[in-house]
PDB file of all heavy atoms in Angstrom:
ATOM      1  N   TYR A 388     152.410 105.156  17.695  1.00  0.00           N
ATOM      2  CA  TYR A 388     152.646 104.316  18.868  1.00  0.00           C
ATOM      3  C   TYR A 388     152.020 104.979  20.083  1.00  0.00           C
ATOM      4  O   TYR A 388     151.992 106.215  20.157  1.00  0.00           O
ATOM      5  CB  TYR A 388     154.152 104.119  19.095  1.00  0.00           C
ATOM      6  CG  TYR A 388     154.723 103.044  18.199  1.00  0.00           C
ATOM      7  CD1 TYR A 388     155.349 103.371  16.994  1.00  0.00           C
ATOM      8  CD2 TYR A 388     154.606 101.706  18.543  1.00  0.00           C
ATOM      9  CE1 TYR A 388     155.850 102.389  16.159  1.00  0.00           C
ATOM     10  CE2 TYR A 388     155.095 100.715  17.707  1.00  0.00           C
ATOM     11  CZ  TYR A 388     155.718 101.052  16.522  1.00  0.00           C
ATOM     12  OH  TYR A 388     156.197 100.071  15.706  1.00  0.00           O
ATOM     13  N   PRO A 389     151.505 104.176  21.040  1.00  0.00           N
ATOM     14  CA  PRO A 389     150.887 104.761  22.224  1.00  0.00           C
ATOM     15  C   PRO A 389     151.856 105.723  22.917  1.00  0.00           C
ATOM     16  O   PRO A 389     153.048 105.420  23.045  1.00  0.00           O
ATOM     17  CB  PRO A 389     150.618 103.548  23.135  1.00  0.00           C
ATOM     18  CG  PRO A 389     150.717 102.353  22.259  1.00  0.00           C
ATOM     19  CD  PRO A 389     151.519 102.715  21.059  1.00  0.00           C
ATOM     20  N   THR A 391     152.919 108.547  21.800  1.00  0.00           N
ATOM     21  CA  THR A 391     153.724 109.408  20.912  1.00  0.00           C
ATOM     22  C   THR A 391     152.794 110.269  20.049  1.00  0.00           C
ATOM     23  O   THR A 391     151.618 109.948  19.884  1.00  0.00           O
ATOM     24  CB  THR A 391     154.629 108.594  19.967  1.00  0.00           C
ATOM     25  OG1 THR A 391     153.790 107.814  19.109  1.00  0.00           O
ATOM     26  CG2 THR A 391     155.567 107.672  20.715  1.00  0.00           C
ATOM     27  N   ALA A 395     153.748 106.906  12.880  1.00  0.00           N
ATOM     28  CA  ALA A 395     154.774 105.946  12.456  1.00  0.00           C
ATOM     29  C   ALA A 395     154.396 105.402  11.076  1.00  0.00           C
ATOM     30  O   ALA A 395     155.255 105.026  10.280  1.00  0.00           O
ATOM     31  CB  ALA A 395     154.894 104.817  13.458  1.00  0.00           C
ATOM     32  N   GLY A 413     163.318 100.229   2.826  1.00  0.00           N
ATOM     33  CA  GLY A 413     163.273 101.629   3.258  1.00  0.00           C
ATOM     34  C   GLY A 413     164.348 101.870   4.293  1.00  0.00           C
ATOM     35  O   GLY A 413     164.902 100.920   4.849  1.00  0.00           O
ATOM     36  N   GLU A 414     164.614 103.154   4.538  1.00  0.00           N
ATOM     37  CA  GLU A 414     165.663 103.463   5.513  1.00  0.00           C
ATOM     38  C   GLU A 414     165.212 103.092   6.915  1.00  0.00           C
ATOM     39  O   GLU A 414     164.027 102.839   7.138  1.00  0.00           O
ATOM     40  CB  GLU A 414     165.982 104.961   5.442  1.00  0.00           C
ATOM     41  CG  GLU A 414     166.670 105.343   4.145  1.00  0.00           C
ATOM     42  CD  GLU A 414     166.810 106.848   4.017  1.00  0.00           C
ATOM     43  OE1 GLU A 414     167.216 107.480   5.003  1.00  0.00           O
ATOM     44  OE2 GLU A 414     166.502 107.370   2.941  1.00  0.00           O
ATOM     45  N   ASN A 415     166.158 103.137   7.857  1.00  0.00           N
ATOM     46  CA  ASN A 415     165.812 102.880   9.252  1.00  0.00           C
ATOM     47  C   ASN A 415     164.761 103.868   9.712  1.00  0.00           C
ATOM     48  O   ASN A 415     164.849 105.056   9.400  1.00  0.00           O
ATOM     49  CB  ASN A 415     167.041 103.069  10.157  1.00  0.00           C
ATOM     50  CG  ASN A 415     167.878 101.808  10.169  1.00  0.00           C
ATOM     51  OD1 ASN A 415     167.382 100.739   9.802  1.00  0.00           O
ATOM     52  ND2 ASN A 415     169.121 101.942  10.582  1.00  0.00           N
ATOM     53  N   GLY A 416     163.771 103.368  10.434  1.00  0.00           N
ATOM     54  CA  GLY A 416     162.756 104.264  10.982  1.00  0.00           C
ATOM     55  C   GLY A 416     161.704 104.667   9.973  1.00  0.00           C
ATOM     56  O   GLY A 416     160.859 105.517  10.254  1.00  0.00           O
ATOM     57  N   SER A 417     161.699 104.038   8.767  1.00  0.00           N
ATOM     58  CA  SER A 417     160.726 104.450   7.751  1.00  0.00           C
ATOM     59  C   SER A 417     159.362 103.766   7.961  1.00  0.00           C
ATOM     60  O   SER A 417     158.392 104.135   7.294  1.00  0.00           O
ATOM     61  CB  SER A 417     161.273 104.154   6.350  1.00  0.00           C
ATOM     62  OG  SER A 417     161.577 102.789   6.241  1.00  0.00           O
ATOM     63  N   GLY A 418     159.287 102.783   8.868  1.00  0.00           N
ATOM     64  CA  GLY A 418     157.977 102.198   9.187  1.00  0.00           C
ATOM     65  C   GLY A 418     157.806 100.747   8.780  1.00  0.00           C
ATOM     66  O   GLY A 418     156.703 100.203   8.897  1.00  0.00           O
ATOM     67  N   LYS A 419     158.890 100.084   8.353  1.00  0.00           N
ATOM     68  CA  LYS A 419     158.775  98.705   7.849  1.00  0.00           C
ATOM     69  C   LYS A 419     158.263  97.754   8.943  1.00  0.00           C
ATOM     70  O   LYS A 419     157.294  97.020   8.745  1.00  0.00           O
ATOM     71  CB  LYS A 419     160.139  98.210   7.335  1.00  0.00           C
ATOM     72  CG  LYS A 419     160.757  99.085   6.270  1.00  0.00           C
ATOM     73  CD  LYS A 419     162.058  98.516   5.750  1.00  0.00           C
ATOM     74  CE  LYS A 419     163.190  98.471   6.760  1.00  0.00           C
ATOM     75  NZ  LYS A 419     163.689  99.782   7.180  1.00  0.00           N
ATOM     76  N   THR A 420     158.947  97.792  10.101  1.00  0.00           N
ATOM     77  CA  THR A 420     158.566  96.862  11.176  1.00  0.00           C
ATOM     78  C   THR A 420     157.167  97.186  11.691  1.00  0.00           C
ATOM     79  O   THR A 420     156.371  96.277  11.975  1.00  0.00           O
ATOM     80  CB  THR A 420     159.590  96.937  12.327  1.00  0.00           C
ATOM     81  OG1 THR A 420     160.877  96.760  11.761  1.00  0.00           O
ATOM     82  CG2 THR A 420     159.352  95.878  13.363  1.00  0.00           C
ATOM     83  N   THR A 421     156.857  98.480  11.761  1.00  0.00           N
ATOM     84  CA  THR A 421     155.529  98.887  12.236  1.00  0.00           C
ATOM     85  C   THR A 421     154.457  98.322  11.298  1.00  0.00           C
ATOM     86  O   THR A 421     153.426  97.809  11.747  1.00  0.00           O
ATOM     87  CB  THR A 421     155.441 100.430  12.277  1.00  0.00           C
ATOM     88  OG1 THR A 421     156.568 100.912  13.002  1.00  0.00           O
ATOM     89  CG2 THR A 421     154.171 100.895  12.937  1.00  0.00           C
ATOM     90  N   PHE A 422     154.722  98.378  10.016  1.00  0.00           N
ATOM     91  CA  PHE A 422     153.795  97.848   9.008  1.00  0.00           C
ATOM     92  C   PHE A 422     153.528  96.352   9.277  1.00  0.00           C
ATOM     93  O   PHE A 422     152.378  95.903   9.282  1.00  0.00           O
ATOM     94  CB  PHE A 422     154.429  98.072   7.624  1.00  0.00           C
ATOM     95  CG  PHE A 422     153.741  97.414   6.487  1.00  0.00           C
ATOM     96  CD1 PHE A 422     152.473  97.826   6.085  1.00  0.00           C
ATOM     97  CD2 PHE A 422     154.359  96.380   5.786  1.00  0.00           C
ATOM     98  CE1 PHE A 422     151.840  97.214   5.025  1.00  0.00           C
ATOM     99  CE2 PHE A 422     153.733  95.768   4.718  1.00  0.00           C
ATOM    100  CZ  PHE A 422     152.470  96.183   4.339  1.00  0.00           C
ATOM    101  N   LYS A 424     153.973  94.798  12.149  1.00  0.00           N
ATOM    102  CA  LYS A 424     153.294  94.631  13.441  1.00  0.00           C
ATOM    103  C   LYS A 424     151.792  94.880  13.297  1.00  0.00           C
ATOM    104  O   LYS A 424     150.987  94.232  13.958  1.00  0.00           O
ATOM    105  CB  LYS A 424     153.892  95.578  14.487  1.00  0.00           C
ATOM    106  CG  LYS A 424     155.258  95.076  14.977  1.00  0.00           C
ATOM    107  CD  LYS A 424     155.819  95.944  16.057  1.00  0.00           C
ATOM    108  CE  LYS A 424     157.091  95.305  16.609  1.00  0.00           C
ATOM    109  NZ  LYS A 424     157.898  96.272  17.360  1.00  0.00           N
ATOM    110  N   TYR A 430     149.362  95.596  16.953  1.00  0.00           N
ATOM    111  CA  TYR A 430     148.729  96.883  17.272  1.00  0.00           C
ATOM    112  C   TYR A 430     147.544  97.073  16.333  1.00  0.00           C
ATOM    113  O   TYR A 430     147.530  96.512  15.237  1.00  0.00           O
ATOM    114  CB  TYR A 430     149.701  98.050  17.019  1.00  0.00           C
ATOM    115  CG  TYR A 430     150.906  98.083  17.921  1.00  0.00           C
ATOM    116  CD1 TYR A 430     152.112  97.504  17.528  1.00  0.00           C
ATOM    117  CD2 TYR A 430     150.847  98.722  19.148  1.00  0.00           C
ATOM    118  CE1 TYR A 430     153.227  97.557  18.351  1.00  0.00           C
ATOM    119  CE2 TYR A 430     151.959  98.774  19.986  1.00  0.00           C
ATOM    120  CZ  TYR A 430     153.148  98.196  19.583  1.00  0.00           C
ATOM    121  OH  TYR A 430     154.239  98.246  20.390  1.00  0.00           O
TER     122      TYR A 430
HETATM  123  P1  ADP B   1     161.933 100.436  10.484  1.00  0.00           P
HETATM  124  O1  ADP B   1     161.483  99.054  10.739  1.00  0.00           O
HETATM  125  O2  ADP B   1     161.715 100.880   9.072  1.00  0.00           O
HETATM  126  O3  ADP B   1     163.350 100.671  10.897  1.00  0.00           O
HETATM  127  P2  ADP B   1     160.032 101.167  12.526  1.00  0.00           P
HETATM  128  O4  ADP B   1     158.755 100.673  11.966  1.00  0.00           O
HETATM  129  O5  ADP B   1     160.714 100.344  13.533  1.00  0.00           O
HETATM  130  O6  ADP B   1     161.038 101.461  11.328  1.00  0.00           O
HETATM  131  O7  ADP B   1     159.805 102.616  13.113  1.00  0.00           O
HETATM  132  C1  ADP B   1     158.957 103.605  12.509  1.00  0.00           C
HETATM  133  C2  ADP B   1     158.866 104.807  13.457  1.00  0.00           C
HETATM  134  O8  ADP B   1     158.202 104.442  14.647  1.00  0.00           O
HETATM  135  C3  ADP B   1     160.225 105.340  13.878  1.00  0.00           C
HETATM  136  O9  ADP B   1     160.131 106.738  13.943  1.00  0.00           O
HETATM  137  C4  ADP B   1     160.433 104.763  15.255  1.00  0.00           C
HETATM  138  O10 ADP B   1     161.219 105.618  16.052  1.00  0.00           O
HETATM  139  C5  ADP B   1     159.012 104.689  15.775  1.00  0.00           C
HETATM  140  N1  ADP B   1     158.860 103.548  16.713  1.00  0.00           N
HETATM  141  C6  ADP B   1     159.172 102.261  16.478  1.00  0.00           C
HETATM  142  N2  ADP B   1     158.864 101.483  17.538  1.00  0.00           N
HETATM  143  C7  ADP B   1     158.353 102.314  18.469  1.00  0.00           C
HETATM  144  C8  ADP B   1     157.830 102.134  19.788  1.00  0.00           C
HETATM  145  N3  ADP B   1     157.756 100.914  20.347  1.00  0.00           N
HETATM  146  N4  ADP B   1     157.386 103.214  20.451  1.00  0.00           N
HETATM  147  C9  ADP B   1     157.435 104.441  19.900  1.00  0.00           C
HETATM  148  N5  ADP B   1     157.891 104.687  18.658  1.00  0.00           N
HETATM  149  C10 ADP B   1     158.355 103.641  17.936  1.00  0.00           C
END
Side-chain angles (χ1 to χ4, degrees):
Y388 279 96
T391 63
E414 291 172 46
N415 276 342
S417 57
K419 304 183 294 293
T420 308
T421 309
F422 171 68
K424 285 183 174 163
Y430 294 94

